[in-house]
Amino acid sequence: MCIRDSNITVGDIEKVTEGKLIYGERDIICENFCRDSREIEPGDTYIGIKGERVDGNTFYEEALKKGATCLILENVNIPDEVLKKYSHFAIIIVENTIEALQKIANYKRNLYKIPVIAITGSVGKTSTKDIVAEVVSEKYKVLKTQGNLNNHIGLPLTILNLRDHEAMVVELGMSHLGEISTIAKIAKPTIAIITNVGTAHIGNLGSRENILKAKMEILDGLQEGGTLIINNDNDLLHKWNLEHRENINVITYGIQNESDVMAYNIAQDEGGSNYNTKIQDREYNVKVKIGGEHFVYNSLCAIAVGLKLGITMEKILEGILNFKLTEKRMEISTNKKGILIINDCYNANYDSMKAAIEYLGKLSNKRKIAVLGDMLELGSYSKELHEKVGEEVNKNNIDILITVGKEAKNISKIAKRTVKEVYTFENNEQVKELLGSLLKKGDAVLVKASNGMKFSEICGTIGDSP
């Protein structure tokens, strides 16, 4: 699968970054790359990156103490007395370490002739990545994005983890126009996926049409002859598919609109979903262990990818059944008190809020409690979209609503029309105190907000309940 030996040397880095080797030998092999000096292991290559609060370039000696064998730095003068303390290492000075990281990742990517599946979308990137990677793993040794490393730094670091992998599944995230284009050109996907176009980052981009434009930048990196897979039930993607697909290989998936891969006879409960799909005139039953219609869509996408890669339906179904979510994303558990906890507090926008509330609303024979917090980065759309979340609460028979934060008050304002018990709080401590006395055996509680609201501490309290 590799074009040639995938090892990268100091000399290779010096060349591709147009940097200057100021110390050390060019034949040192750089295998593991790290941007956090606290996590350096012996033999690692340390990349000093200047952030908003901390300049990683200043931690060069800490990296050397921990055994880094190559340092890639910008605007740093290292005293001779420091250099004399350590042996067998190299230092490359570049103009911009982020650009250098991207160039090295681009070089590494070009050493591999393997399937690369890149996923973007307003919501569902991570869960789609997880299920697609599980299906692809039925045939290939897969490298996938870990956690949320999906931006202009995280994506290159993921690529630099390529070893003997036979396929790669990566997320592409963005908050502004131009960002996906940059990282898609590094990833060079053979298969590109757009899960949907919603309202995430609408405060930065100004309209859903601009969000569509940003997501379509994934095509800037799509390899010649590559395939685009899209959710055909999303209104903007459906419209785009009707108007622009002439020169691109497109596979669609959906439930409502006629698509290449479809689900029907869908049955859902708290234990998951199952549905039927027809592939080449043969009907299959698909089981998904995680409930919610959005996971039906994710599994349809995985089927489309698997079929494109020549994986049998039997193996695809096995992969879908076995996949596990990245933590804090629709993580469902029952605590010792018999309370069902839906931990979906990693992030939130209107579309993911809607999906999670719908899932909670469909649970039977349970008192349904929604703990919802602010959705961030919505700009002038914030009030409107929080009110729309309130409307979703009204539609889904929620028994108790608890909101936290200035913007989430707009959820409560609308939900009060139908929800009898509504609590509006300023901080998480107030929520934890209330839940301690409110929750009873058999309750189902959804906990969801943008990551900045730190709702994981609420989930932790419920999970520890005796």
Side-chain angles (χ1 to χ4, degrees):
M1 290 290 183
C2 278
I3 296 175
R4 67 168 184 80
D5 186 352
S6 59
N7 285 333
I8 296 178
T9 66
V10 167
D12 293 328
I13 292 173
E14 180 188 25
K15 183 177 180 180
V16 301
T17 63
E18 299 178 340
K20 182 179 181 182
L21 179 65
I22 65 167
Y23 193 89
E25 303 298 325
R26 290 182 173 84
D27 60 356
I28 295 174
I29 293 175
C30 302
E31 186 174 17
N32 299 310
F33 292 76
C34 182
R35 60 169 292 192
D36 190 336
S37 60
R38 297 167 298 182
E39 298 176 0
I40 289 285
E41 299 287 342
D44 283 359
T45 294
Y46 176 66
I47 303 176
I49 293 177
K50 187 174 183 178
E52 292 181 5
R53 299 179 181 176
V54 178
D55 185 355
N57 292 283
T58 63
F59 295 102
Y60 56 82
E61 188 165 11
E62 182 180 349
L64 289 172
K65 283 179 181 177
K66 291 189 173 182
T69 55
C70 181
L71 309 183
I72 304 170
L73 306 169
E74 64 175 85
N75 299 323
V76 173
N77 292 315
I78 302 177
D80 288 340
E81 56 266 29
V82 173
L83 298 177
K84 290 175 183 177
K85 290 183 185 179
Y86 308 96
S87 60
H88 194 64
F89 66 94
I91 300 174
I92 300 171
I93 301 297
V94 298
E95 288 188 9
N96 183 300
T97 48
I98 293 177
E99 291 179 4
L101 172 65
Q102 294 172 348
K103 289 176 180 177
I104 300 165
N106 184 64
Y107 175 78
K108 180 90 171 184
R109 168 66 182 95
N110 288 338
L111 300 178
Y112 288 76
K113 192 175 182 180
I114 60 175
V116 173
I117 300 97
I119 302 164
T120 192
S122 294
V123 65
K125 292 186 295 295
T126 300
S127 53
T128 303
K129 171 207 69 183
D130 289 333
I131 195 167
V132 167
E134 194 66 46
V135 166
V136 177
S137 294
E138 293 292 326
K139 182 176 180 180
Y140 300 100
K141 182 175 181 180
V142 174
L143 172 68
K144 71 172 184 176
T145 299
Q146 295 301 310
N148 203 39
L149 292 174
N150 62 14
N151 64 5
H152 63 300
I153 295 173
L155 183 277
L157 287 171
T158 297
I159 291 174
L160 290 173
N161 283 324
L162 280 167
R163 300 290 181 270
D164 59 343
H165 300 96
E166 300 166 323
M168 183 166 66
V169 182
V170 293
E171 288 182 50
L172 306 185
M174 66 90 204
S175 54
H176 295 88
L177 286 166
E179 293 177 347
I180 287 181
S181 179
T182 296
I183 55 179
K185 289 174 182 175
I186 299 170
K188 299 179 182 66
T190 57
I191 298 174
I193 296 167
I194 305 178
T195 61
N196 56 27
V197 178
T199 57
H201 308 296
I202 197 168
N204 296 331
L205 291 159
S207 68
R208 289 185 67 224
E209 286 70 25
N210 277 342
I211 295 172
L212 172 66
K213 184 178 178 181
K215 299 304 180 186
M216 281 299 166
E217 290 174 4
I218 198 170
L219 298 178
D220 294 348
L222 186 65
Q223 291 194 20
E224 186 176 352
T227 298
L228 174 66
I229 299 176
I230 61 171
N231 176 353
N232 200 32
D233 287 347
N234 180 264
D235 57 342
L236 292 184
L237 290 174
H238 179 70
K239 181 181 178 183
W240 178 91
N241 185 47
L242 294 175
E243 297 175 352
H244 299 287
R245 67 176 291 170
E246 304 87 28
N247 300 318
I248 304 171
N249 299 321
V250 179
I251 297 174
T252 59
Y253 62 94
I255 298 171
Q256 300 162 4
N257 294 320
E258 187 67 30
S259 303
D260 298 311
V261 183
M262 296 193 69
Y264 54 94
N265 296 336
I266 300 170
Q268 300 181 59
D269 58 32
E270 63 189 73
S273 305
N274 72 81
Y275 63 87
N276 293 336
T277 190
K278 187 172 287 187
I279 305 297
Q280 295 179 344
D281 295 326
R282 181 178 171 184
E283 189 171 82
Y284 296 89
N285 182 256
V286 184
K287 291 184 173 66
V288 187
K289 285 184 177 178
I290 299 172
E293 189 176 73
H294 45 310
F295 286 98
V296 173
Y297 280 107
N298 295 346
S299 64
L300 289 172
C301 180
I303 291 171
V305 173
L307 293 173
K308 181 63 183 177
L309 294 178
I311 302 173
T312 66
M313 271 302 292
E314 288 72 22
K315 287 292 184 181
I316 291 171
L317 296 177
E318 191 175 328
I320 291 171
L321 194 60
N322 291 335
F323 103 97
K324 296 178 181 178
L325 273 174
T326 297
E327 64 177 15
K328 299 179 189 176
R329 290 168 171 87
M330 288 298 289
E331 193 175 87
I332 300 169
S333 62
T334 303
N335 73 0
K336 295 175 184 177
K337 210 172 183 179
I339 298 163
L340 183 73
I341 306 161
I342 306 163
N343 180 351
D344 198 17
C345 61
Y346 184 82
N347 223 331
N349 54 54
Y350 167 70
D351 305 278
S352 63
M353 279 279 199
K354 179 176 183 290
I357 292 166
E358 286 177 346
Y359 174 77
L360 177 65
K362 288 178 181 177
L363 296 179
S364 59
N365 302 319
K366 291 184 181 295
R367 189 171 62 154
K368 304 171 185 64
I369 302 164
V371 182
L372 308 178
D374 288 354
M375 302 181 292
L376 306 178
E377 297 184 354
L378 296 178
S380 61
Y381 291 85
S382 185
K383 181 176 182 292
E384 174 190 346
L385 290 172
H386 281 86
E387 288 177 349
K388 286 184 70 176
V389 170
E391 292 169 3
E392 293 303 320
V393 171
N394 288 335
K395 292 177 187 175
N396 285 280
N397 301 313
I398 304 303
D399 298 299
I400 300 173
L401 172 66
I402 303 167
T403 65
V404 185
K406 178 181 177 182
E407 300 299 327
K409 288 179 181 177
N410 292 303
I411 301 175
S412 298
K413 179 180 69 176
I414 301 300
K416 283 179 180 177
R417 296 171 186 168
T418 63
V419 181
K420 294 179 180 179
E421 244 182 291
V422 177
Y423 301 88
T424 304
F425 292 130
E426 300 295 332
N427 59 64
N428 296 346
E429 289 302 317
Q430 294 170 301
V431 178
K432 290 192 283 185
E433 184 178 346
L434 173 65
L435 291 178
S437 59
L438 179 71
L439 293 176
K440 299 184 294 187
K441 183 177 181 179
D443 286 348
V445 54
L446 165 67
V447 185
K448 187 165 180 63
S450 283
N451 197 33
M453 298 297 289
K454 300 180 180 179
F455 266 28
S456 57
E457 62 189 34
I458 297 174
C459 280
T461 301
I462 304 169
D464 293 338
S465 297

